[in-house]
Amino acid sequence: MKFIAYNVRDDEIPFIEKWGKDNQIDVQYTTTTLTPETLEEAQGCDGISGLQTIPYSRDLFEAFNKFGIKYLALRNVGTDNVDLQAAKDNDVTITNVPAYSPESIAEFAVTMALYLTRKVGYMQQQLRQKQQFHFSPDFMGRLISEQTVGIVGTGRIGRHAIQLFKGLGAKVIAYDKYPIKNSKLDFQYTTSLADLITQSDIISLHMPATDDNYHQFNHETFELMKDTAILINTARGSIVDTDDLIYALQSGEIAGAGIDTVENESADLQDSRSSKQVTDADVIKLSMMPNVLITPHSAFHTTKSVMNMVTISLNNLKALASGNKVDDQVN
């Protein structure tokens, strides 16, 4: 049995090597992005572990078929960038890691909310521009306990976010197309997303990307939000219209945004050895705003998450290559 992992970051390597040693399985790894051209490195392997934000395309799965590779185990949750029909057409089984560390992402969302509500960006901007500090009305923040937090999506991550925001004393409301039943968490569902948007001081997104929620947060949505409200997106970039977000921030339609994921993310985001400068005009523009915290899709990035992403992905490959079924199959 032999596997290969693509788009490997340096922090994943110790966990890959340990898993290979513990399971006595040859696991190669490469920092290369998985494409039809780079798939040649996987010749002779029984399965592939992948982690990337760019598409897993039909051409790629046709190349899988050509090389006789039947298994792709993602090291992440999202499958919106995977052509699942093409995988099926080429007899490729896909698995993901549905819960590598929900608390890591939820913690990061709360971290962003605290940063923005306490106006840390304004303090940092003053220090950069003037090399001095002085108290300013711009620095006056609000307690989380004074605010209503709206959680969009009450899956594993959303439920952890509810717990954390409740721990800080916030009133928490939530919206989900498929509400959970018999929850012991202290929150209330709203009857519609619009109700949540109009009531919330902080809105935190925790749903997967779908065709239905593409650009769900757009100019019309931002007009519904309070002009003192903050948007946190640790979910998927496609949910938020970036142009409309920038306009809303510049015009004062909303007060701030924590953005961990943007539209059209490049492969460099997952490359721990990349030294390329950021050239995306929207990312640069957002990074210059004191009411924005923008990060490189790193909400998940804790020791526990990385260990679980590697271990679960490779365990799924081992099970599939051994002829067993796995709970994490997505196609």
Side-chain angles (χ1 to χ4, degrees), residues 12-298:
E12 295 179 299
I13 292 173
F15 299 111
I16 292 173
E17 292 179 339
K18 182 179 186 302
W19 189 92
K21 182 178 180 181
D22 291 346
N23 289 271
Q24 297 184 323
I25 292 175
D26 180 12
V27 184
Q28 300 178 3
Y29 53 83
T30 176
T31 61
T32 304
T33 298
L34 180 57
T35 66
E37 292 72 34
T38 62
L39 191 64
E40 291 187 1
E41 295 183 51
Q43 287 190 68
C45 291
D46 298 290
I48 292 172
S49 172
L51 175 67
Q52 60 194 50
T53 57
I54 67 172
Y56 295 86
S57 63
R58 176 168 290 276
D59 288 347
L60 177 61
F61 291 119
E62 288 174 354
F64 266 67
N65 197 332
K66 174 183 175 182
F67 290 118
I69 300 171
K70 296 185 177 297
Y71 309 117
L72 171 63
L74 305 177
R75 301 195 297 280
N76 56 281
V77 180
T79 59
D80 52 290
N81 60 330
V82 181
D83 189 334
L84 295 176
Q85 184 60 52
K88 181 180 179 181
D89 293 344
N90 287 280
D91 198 26
V92 179
T93 300
I94 310 290
T95 65
N96 69 346
V97 183
Y100 41 81
S101 178
E103 59 268 39
S104 295
I105 298 171
E107 275 190 11
F108 201 79
V110 174
T111 299
M112 285 184 144
L114 287 166
Y115 175 99
L116 292 161
T117 57
R118 295 307 301 270
K119 304 293 187 69
V120 177
Y122 288 89
M123 303 175 199
Q124 292 297 303
Q125 184 188 65
Q126 183 190 88
L127 183 61
R128 287 194 300 266
Q129 291 179 350
K130 300 182 179 180
Q131 288 80 54
Q132 62 176 323
F133 277 134
H134 64 264
F135 280 100
S136 163
D138 289 339
F139 295 175
M140 186 177 291
R142 297 177 63 190
L143 295 173
I144 297 292
S145 59
E146 297 177 334
Q147 301 182 71
T148 297
V149 177
I151 302 295
V152 185
T154 53
R156 295 180 179 92
I157 300 169
R159 294 197 296 272
H160 276 285
I162 290 170
Q163 288 180 306
L164 293 172
F165 280 114
K166 285 300 299 184
L168 291 171
K171 175 185 176 181
V172 179
I173 58 177
Y175 176 77
D176 197 306
K177 288 179 67 175
Y178 307 100
I180 55 175
K181 298 179 180 180
N182 304 318
S183 173
K184 297 179 181 179
L185 297 175
D186 183 13
F187 74 98
Q188 291 182 332
Y189 278 113
T190 60
T191 56
S192 69
L193 180 59
D195 285 342
L196 180 142
I197 290 167
T198 56
Q199 293 180 47
S200 298
D201 300 296
I202 299 168
I203 298 175
S204 192
L205 308 183
H206 299 289
M207 69 281 216
T210 65
D211 291 339
D212 291 340
N213 64 30
Y214 177 75
H215 282 184
Q216 191 168 55
F217 280 75
N218 54 35
H219 180 60
E220 292 180 358
T221 313
F222 296 132
E223 285 187 323
L224 288 176
M225 290 173 63
K226 299 178 182 181
D227 59 10
T228 55
I230 289 167
L231 177 69
I232 307 293
N233 185 12
T234 56
R236 278 291 186 266
S238 62
I239 298 169
V240 178
D241 185 312
T242 305
D243 290 338
D244 288 357
L245 173 64
I246 291 172
Y247 177 83
L249 290 162
Q250 291 176 331
S251 66
E253 280 184 344
I254 66 173
I259 304 299
D260 186 54
T261 174
V262 296
E263 298 183 81
N264 305 314
E265 292 175 347
S266 71
D268 293 327
L269 276 179
Q270 299 295 343
D271 184 355
S272 61
R273 299 179 184 181
S274 175
S275 59
K276 292 183 179 178
Q277 289 187 319
V278 175
T279 58
D280 187 299
D282 289 337
V283 172
I284 293 171
K285 191 176 295 184
L286 288 164
S287 72
M288 301 297 289
M289 298 181 187
N291 56 340
V292 173
L293 177 58
I294 185 164
T295 52
H297 210 141
S298 56

